[in-house]
């Protein structure tokens, strides 16, 4: 049984309702990440900027999740967009060692005096 609050949510978000119906045929529970599992369905977002994101139905939403903590400067911060754009133009995954990775590693060592050497991994399992 749908509660009045859930019905209002459904009525306000027809685009997300439709997308979730499609996603349920593609992904388990209709989501690709457990944190996105919401009842009666998650919101689908079209874009984000600063501390806000907009759902596919045009609602502006304060983003309290901030990319699960990774977007501390907000979405599409101009300095980050510029730096990423510059690097994308130079290549994103050369499958080789680079000066940038040495600079990054040295910064980690400088910030953590007990770190004599560092290694970067994609996940805790890989590490």
């Amino acid at each position: 049984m749908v509660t009045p609050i859930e019905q209002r949510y459904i009525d306000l978000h027809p685009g997300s309702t439709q997308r979730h119906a499609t996603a349920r045929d593609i992904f388990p529970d209709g989501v690709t990440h457990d944190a996105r599992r919401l009842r009666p369905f998650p919101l689908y977002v079209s874009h984000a900027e600063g501390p806000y994101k907009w759902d596919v139905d045009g609602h502006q939403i304060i983003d309290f999740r901030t990319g699960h903590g990774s977007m501390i400067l907000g979405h599409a911060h101009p300095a980050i967009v510029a730096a990423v754009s510059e690097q994308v133009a130079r290549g994103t995954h050369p499958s080789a060692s680079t000066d940038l990775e040495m600079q990054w590693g040295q910064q980690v060592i400088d910030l953590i005096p007990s770190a004599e050497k560092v290694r970067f991994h994609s996940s805790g399992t890989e590490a």
Side-chain angles (χ1 to χ4, degrees), residues 43-64:
L43 293 178
Y44 286 75
V45 173
S46 62
H47 65 286
E49 184 177 336
Y52 303 103
K53 55 189 174 185
W54 286 260
D55 72 7
V56 295
D57 295 300
H59 301 106
Q60 182 182 22
I61 304 158
I62 297 173
D63 186 5
F64 290 107

PDB file of all heavy atoms in Angstrom, residues 43-64:
ATOM      1  N   LEU A  43      15.951   8.918  -6.910  1.00  0.00           N
ATOM      2  CA  LEU A  43      15.864  10.017  -7.864  1.00  0.00           C
ATOM      3  C   LEU A  43      16.944   9.836  -8.923  1.00  0.00           C
ATOM      4  O   LEU A  43      18.050   9.373  -8.638  1.00  0.00           O
ATOM      5  CB  LEU A  43      16.071  11.358  -7.162  1.00  0.00           C
ATOM      6  CG  LEU A  43      14.983  11.773  -6.174  1.00  0.00           C
ATOM      7  CD1 LEU A  43      15.350  13.107  -5.532  1.00  0.00           C
ATOM      8  CD2 LEU A  43      13.632  11.846  -6.854  1.00  0.00           C
ATOM      9  N   TYR A  44      16.641  10.222 -10.133  1.00  0.00           N
ATOM     10  CA  TYR A  44      17.604  10.208 -11.231  1.00  0.00           C
ATOM     11  C   TYR A  44      18.005  11.647 -11.502  1.00  0.00           C
ATOM     12  O   TYR A  44      17.155  12.527 -11.607  1.00  0.00           O
ATOM     13  CB  TYR A  44      16.999   9.535 -12.464  1.00  0.00           C
ATOM     14  CG  TYR A  44      16.927   8.040 -12.288  1.00  0.00           C
ATOM     15  CD1 TYR A  44      15.969   7.469 -11.469  1.00  0.00           C
ATOM     16  CD2 TYR A  44      17.873   7.216 -12.882  1.00  0.00           C
ATOM     17  CE1 TYR A  44      15.929   6.098 -11.257  1.00  0.00           C
ATOM     18  CE2 TYR A  44      17.845   5.847 -12.676  1.00  0.00           C
ATOM     19  CZ  TYR A  44      16.863   5.297 -11.867  1.00  0.00           C
ATOM     20  OH  TYR A  44      16.850   3.937 -11.666  1.00  0.00           O
ATOM     21  N   VAL A  45      19.292  11.890 -11.578  1.00  0.00           N
ATOM     22  CA  VAL A  45      19.841  13.237 -11.650  1.00  0.00           C
ATOM     23  C   VAL A  45      20.314  13.539 -13.067  1.00  0.00           C
ATOM     24  O   VAL A  45      20.925  12.700 -13.727  1.00  0.00           O
ATOM     25  CB  VAL A  45      20.999  13.369 -10.640  1.00  0.00           C
ATOM     26  CG1 VAL A  45      21.722  14.685 -10.786  1.00  0.00           C
ATOM     27  CG2 VAL A  45      20.472  13.201  -9.224  1.00  0.00           C
ATOM     28  N   SER A  46      20.049  14.756 -13.516  1.00  0.00           N
ATOM     29  CA  SER A  46      20.490  15.179 -14.845  1.00  0.00           C
ATOM     30  C   SER A  46      21.839  15.885 -14.811  1.00  0.00           C
ATOM     31  O   SER A  46      22.652  15.735 -15.721  1.00  0.00           O
ATOM     32  CB  SER A  46      19.451  16.105 -15.485  1.00  0.00           C
ATOM     33  OG  SER A  46      19.298  17.290 -14.708  1.00  0.00           O
ATOM     34  N   HIS A  47      22.090  16.666 -13.747  1.00  0.00           N
ATOM     35  CA  HIS A  47      23.364  17.378 -13.639  1.00  0.00           C
ATOM     36  C   HIS A  47      23.537  17.899 -12.207  1.00  0.00           C
ATOM     37  O   HIS A  47      22.598  17.862 -11.411  1.00  0.00           O
ATOM     38  CB  HIS A  47      23.449  18.518 -14.657  1.00  0.00           C
ATOM     39  CG  HIS A  47      22.450  19.612 -14.438  1.00  0.00           C
ATOM     40  ND1 HIS A  47      21.099  19.476 -14.730  1.00  0.00           N
ATOM     41  CD2 HIS A  47      22.588  20.865 -13.949  1.00  0.00           C
ATOM     42  CE1 HIS A  47      20.466  20.600 -14.441  1.00  0.00           C
ATOM     43  NE2 HIS A  47      21.342  21.454 -13.965  1.00  0.00           N
ATOM     44  N   ALA A  48      24.755  18.372 -11.936  1.00  0.00           N
ATOM     45  CA  ALA A  48      25.067  18.891 -10.606  1.00  0.00           C
ATOM     46  C   ALA A  48      26.061  20.032 -10.736  1.00  0.00           C
ATOM     47  O   ALA A  48      26.890  20.047 -11.653  1.00  0.00           O
ATOM     48  CB  ALA A  48      25.645  17.779  -9.736  1.00  0.00           C
ATOM     49  N   GLU A  49      25.958  20.982  -9.815  1.00  0.00           N
ATOM     50  CA  GLU A  49      26.888  22.116  -9.802  1.00  0.00           C
ATOM     51  C   GLU A  49      26.960  22.655  -8.387  1.00  0.00           C
ATOM     52  O   GLU A  49      25.922  22.867  -7.744  1.00  0.00           O
ATOM     53  CB  GLU A  49      26.398  23.205 -10.756  1.00  0.00           C
ATOM     54  CG  GLU A  49      27.346  24.381 -10.872  1.00  0.00           C
ATOM     55  CD  GLU A  49      26.863  25.415 -11.873  1.00  0.00           C
ATOM     56  OE1 GLU A  49      26.087  25.076 -12.785  1.00  0.00           O
ATOM     57  OE2 GLU A  49      27.277  26.578 -11.727  1.00  0.00           O
ATOM     58  N   GLY A  50      28.192  22.864  -7.911  1.00  0.00           N
ATOM     59  CA  GLY A  50      28.366  23.351  -6.550  1.00  0.00           C
ATOM     60  C   GLY A  50      27.745  22.380  -5.560  1.00  0.00           C
ATOM     61  O   GLY A  50      27.932  21.175  -5.661  1.00  0.00           O
ATOM     62  N   PRO A  51      26.945  22.881  -4.613  1.00  0.00           N
ATOM     63  CA  PRO A  51      26.338  21.999  -3.605  1.00  0.00           C
ATOM     64  C   PRO A  51      24.978  21.434  -4.035  1.00  0.00           C
ATOM     65  O   PRO A  51      24.282  20.836  -3.233  1.00  0.00           O
ATOM     66  CB  PRO A  51      26.165  22.937  -2.410  1.00  0.00           C
ATOM     67  CG  PRO A  51      25.896  24.271  -3.048  1.00  0.00           C
ATOM     68  CD  PRO A  51      26.769  24.292  -4.297  1.00  0.00           C
ATOM     69  N   TYR A  52      24.612  21.619  -5.305  1.00  0.00           N
ATOM     70  CA  TYR A  52      23.285  21.211  -5.767  1.00  0.00           C
ATOM     71  C   TYR A  52      23.353  20.174  -6.875  1.00  0.00           C
ATOM     72  O   TYR A  52      24.334  20.080  -7.609  1.00  0.00           O
ATOM     73  CB  TYR A  52      22.509  22.426  -6.306  1.00  0.00           C
ATOM     74  CG  TYR A  52      22.370  23.531  -5.310  1.00  0.00           C
ATOM     75  CD1 TYR A  52      23.153  24.670  -5.397  1.00  0.00           C
ATOM     76  CD2 TYR A  52      21.461  23.440  -4.254  1.00  0.00           C
ATOM     77  CE1 TYR A  52      23.034  25.696  -4.475  1.00  0.00           C
ATOM     78  CE2 TYR A  52      21.341  24.460  -3.327  1.00  0.00           C
ATOM     79  CZ  TYR A  52      22.127  25.588  -3.441  1.00  0.00           C
ATOM     80  OH  TYR A  52      22.012  26.595  -2.513  1.00  0.00           O
ATOM     81  N   LYS A  53      22.248  19.432  -6.994  1.00  0.00           N
ATOM     82  CA  LYS A  53      22.033  18.576  -8.149  1.00  0.00           C
ATOM     83  C   LYS A  53      20.583  18.748  -8.557  1.00  0.00           C
ATOM     84  O   LYS A  53      19.755  19.195  -7.757  1.00  0.00           O
ATOM     85  CB  LYS A  53      22.376  17.123  -7.846  1.00  0.00           C
ATOM     86  CG  LYS A  53      21.682  16.508  -6.658  1.00  0.00           C
ATOM     87  CD  LYS A  53      22.265  15.142  -6.340  1.00  0.00           C
ATOM     88  CE  LYS A  53      21.679  14.577  -5.057  1.00  0.00           C
ATOM     89  NZ  LYS A  53      22.333  13.313  -4.688  1.00  0.00           N
ATOM     90  N   TRP A  54      20.295  18.452  -9.819  1.00  0.00           N
ATOM     91  CA  TRP A  54      18.956  18.585 -10.352  1.00  0.00           C
ATOM     92  C   TRP A  54      18.493  17.226 -10.837  1.00  0.00           C
ATOM     93  O   TRP A  54      19.216  16.534 -11.551  1.00  0.00           O
ATOM     94  CB  TRP A  54      18.926  19.578 -11.514  1.00  0.00           C
ATOM     95  CG  TRP A  54      19.039  20.998 -11.064  1.00  0.00           C
ATOM     96  CD1 TRP A  54      18.018  21.890 -10.927  1.00  0.00           C
ATOM     97  CD2 TRP A  54      20.234  21.721 -10.701  1.00  0.00           C
ATOM     98  NE1 TRP A  54      18.496  23.109 -10.485  1.00  0.00           N
ATOM     99  CE2 TRP A  54      19.856  23.030 -10.352  1.00  0.00           C
ATOM    100  CE3 TRP A  54      21.583  21.376 -10.637  1.00  0.00           C
ATOM    101  CZ2 TRP A  54      20.769  23.984  -9.939  1.00  0.00           C
ATOM    102  CZ3 TRP A  54      22.498  22.328 -10.233  1.00  0.00           C
ATOM    103  CH2 TRP A  54      22.086  23.616  -9.886  1.00  0.00           C
ATOM    104  N   ASP A  55      17.272  16.863 -10.433  1.00  0.00           N
ATOM    105  CA  ASP A  55      16.758  15.584 -10.904  1.00  0.00           C
ATOM    106  C   ASP A  55      16.191  15.749 -12.311  1.00  0.00           C
ATOM    107  O   ASP A  55      16.089  16.866 -12.836  1.00  0.00           O
ATOM    108  CB  ASP A  55      15.750  14.977  -9.922  1.00  0.00           C
ATOM    109  CG  ASP A  55      14.409  15.674  -9.877  1.00  0.00           C
ATOM    110  OD1 ASP A  55      14.133  16.578 -10.697  1.00  0.00           O
ATOM    111  OD2 ASP A  55      13.599  15.310  -9.012  1.00  0.00           O
ATOM    112  N   VAL A  56      15.864  14.636 -12.939  1.00  0.00           N
ATOM    113  CA  VAL A  56      15.400  14.661 -14.328  1.00  0.00           C
ATOM    114  C   VAL A  56      14.047  15.357 -14.478  1.00  0.00           C
ATOM    115  O   VAL A  56      13.643  15.665 -15.596  1.00  0.00           O
ATOM    116  CB  VAL A  56      15.338  13.232 -14.922  1.00  0.00           C
ATOM    117  CG1 VAL A  56      16.737  12.632 -15.005  1.00  0.00           C
ATOM    118  CG2 VAL A  56      14.395  12.341 -14.124  1.00  0.00           C
ATOM    119  N   ASP A  57      13.391  15.626 -13.362  1.00  0.00           N
ATOM    120  CA  ASP A  57      12.126  16.352 -13.401  1.00  0.00           C
ATOM    121  C   ASP A  57      12.304  17.838 -13.105  1.00  0.00           C
ATOM    122  O   ASP A  57      11.326  18.569 -12.970  1.00  0.00           O
ATOM    123  CB  ASP A  57      11.136  15.719 -12.411  1.00  0.00           C
ATOM    124  CG  ASP A  57      10.769  14.311 -12.826  1.00  0.00           C
ATOM    125  OD1 ASP A  57      10.217  14.140 -13.934  1.00  0.00           O
ATOM    126  OD2 ASP A  57      11.068  13.371 -12.062  1.00  0.00           O
ATOM    127  N   GLY A  58      13.562  18.288 -13.008  1.00  0.00           N
ATOM    128  CA  GLY A  58      13.851  19.710 -12.848  1.00  0.00           C
ATOM    129  C   GLY A  58      13.897  20.236 -11.436  1.00  0.00           C
ATOM    130  O   GLY A  58      14.030  21.441 -11.230  1.00  0.00           O
ATOM    131  N   HIS A  59      13.836  19.371 -10.427  1.00  0.00           N
ATOM    132  CA  HIS A  59      13.901  19.819  -9.034  1.00  0.00           C
ATOM    133  C   HIS A  59      15.352  20.040  -8.615  1.00  0.00           C
ATOM    134  O   HIS A  59      16.198  19.178  -8.810  1.00  0.00           O
ATOM    135  CB  HIS A  59      13.272  18.781  -8.100  1.00  0.00           C
ATOM    136  CG  HIS A  59      11.846  18.485  -8.416  1.00  0.00           C
ATOM    137  ND1 HIS A  59      11.451  17.315  -9.016  1.00  0.00           N
ATOM    138  CD2 HIS A  59      10.723  19.210  -8.228  1.00  0.00           C
ATOM    139  CE1 HIS A  59      10.142  17.324  -9.172  1.00  0.00           C
ATOM    140  NE2 HIS A  59       9.674  18.465  -8.707  1.00  0.00           N
ATOM    141  N   GLN A  60      15.628  21.194  -8.019  1.00  0.00           N
ATOM    142  CA  GLN A  60      16.954  21.476  -7.463  1.00  0.00           C
ATOM    143  C   GLN A  60      17.018  20.863  -6.065  1.00  0.00           C
ATOM    144  O   GLN A  60      16.122  21.070  -5.245  1.00  0.00           O
ATOM    145  CB  GLN A  60      17.198  22.977  -7.387  1.00  0.00           C
ATOM    146  CG  GLN A  60      18.571  23.333  -6.859  1.00  0.00           C
ATOM    147  CD  GLN A  60      18.765  24.839  -6.755  1.00  0.00           C
ATOM    148  OE1 GLN A  60      17.813  25.614  -6.680  1.00  0.00           O
ATOM    149  NE2 GLN A  60      20.012  25.253  -6.738  1.00  0.00           N
ATOM    150  N   ILE A  61      18.102  20.128  -5.800  1.00  0.00           N
ATOM    151  CA  ILE A  61      18.238  19.387  -4.555  1.00  0.00           C
ATOM    152  C   ILE A  61      19.593  19.723  -3.926  1.00  0.00           C
ATOM    153  O   ILE A  61      20.614  19.740  -4.618  1.00  0.00           O
ATOM    154  CB  ILE A  61      18.183  17.866  -4.827  1.00  0.00           C
ATOM    155  CG1 ILE A  61      16.881  17.515  -5.560  1.00  0.00           C
ATOM    156  CG2 ILE A  61      18.330  17.068  -3.546  1.00  0.00           C
ATOM    157  CD1 ILE A  61      16.961  16.216  -6.313  1.00  0.00           C
ATOM    158  N   ILE A  62      19.636  19.993  -2.636  1.00  0.00           N
ATOM    159  CA  ILE A  62      20.917  20.150  -1.948  1.00  0.00           C
ATOM    160  C   ILE A  62      21.551  18.773  -1.874  1.00  0.00           C
ATOM    161  O   ILE A  62      20.931  17.803  -1.452  1.00  0.00           O
ATOM    162  CB  ILE A  62      20.735  20.732  -0.531  1.00  0.00           C
ATOM    163  CG1 ILE A  62      20.142  22.144  -0.612  1.00  0.00           C
ATOM    164  CG2 ILE A  62      22.076  20.745   0.211  1.00  0.00           C
ATOM    165  CD1 ILE A  62      19.765  22.719   0.736  1.00  0.00           C
ATOM    166  N   ASP A  63      22.811  18.669  -2.294  1.00  0.00           N
ATOM    167  CA  ASP A  63      23.494  17.383  -2.314  1.00  0.00           C
ATOM    168  C   ASP A  63      24.234  17.157  -1.002  1.00  0.00           C
ATOM    169  O   ASP A  63      25.380  17.545  -0.844  1.00  0.00           O
ATOM    170  CB  ASP A  63      24.456  17.300  -3.493  1.00  0.00           C
ATOM    171  CG  ASP A  63      25.068  15.927  -3.628  1.00  0.00           C
ATOM    172  OD1 ASP A  63      24.688  15.010  -2.873  1.00  0.00           O
ATOM    173  OD2 ASP A  63      25.943  15.751  -4.497  1.00  0.00           O
ATOM    174  N   PHE A  64      23.573  16.499  -0.068  1.00  0.00           N
ATOM    175  CA  PHE A  64      24.194  16.194   1.212  1.00  0.00           C
ATOM    176  C   PHE A  64      25.152  15.014   1.105  1.00  0.00           C
ATOM    177  O   PHE A  64      25.962  14.796   2.002  1.00  0.00           O
ATOM    178  CB  PHE A  64      23.119  15.892   2.267  1.00  0.00           C
ATOM    179  CG  PHE A  64      22.329  17.102   2.667  1.00  0.00           C
ATOM    180  CD1 PHE A  64      21.019  17.258   2.247  1.00  0.00           C
ATOM    181  CD2 PHE A  64      22.899  18.087   3.451  1.00  0.00           C
ATOM    182  CE1 PHE A  64      20.289  18.377   2.620  1.00  0.00           C
ATOM    183  CE2 PHE A  64      22.181  19.207   3.832  1.00  0.00           C
ATOM    184  CZ  PHE A  64      20.874  19.351   3.407  1.00  0.00           C
TER     185      PHE A  64
END
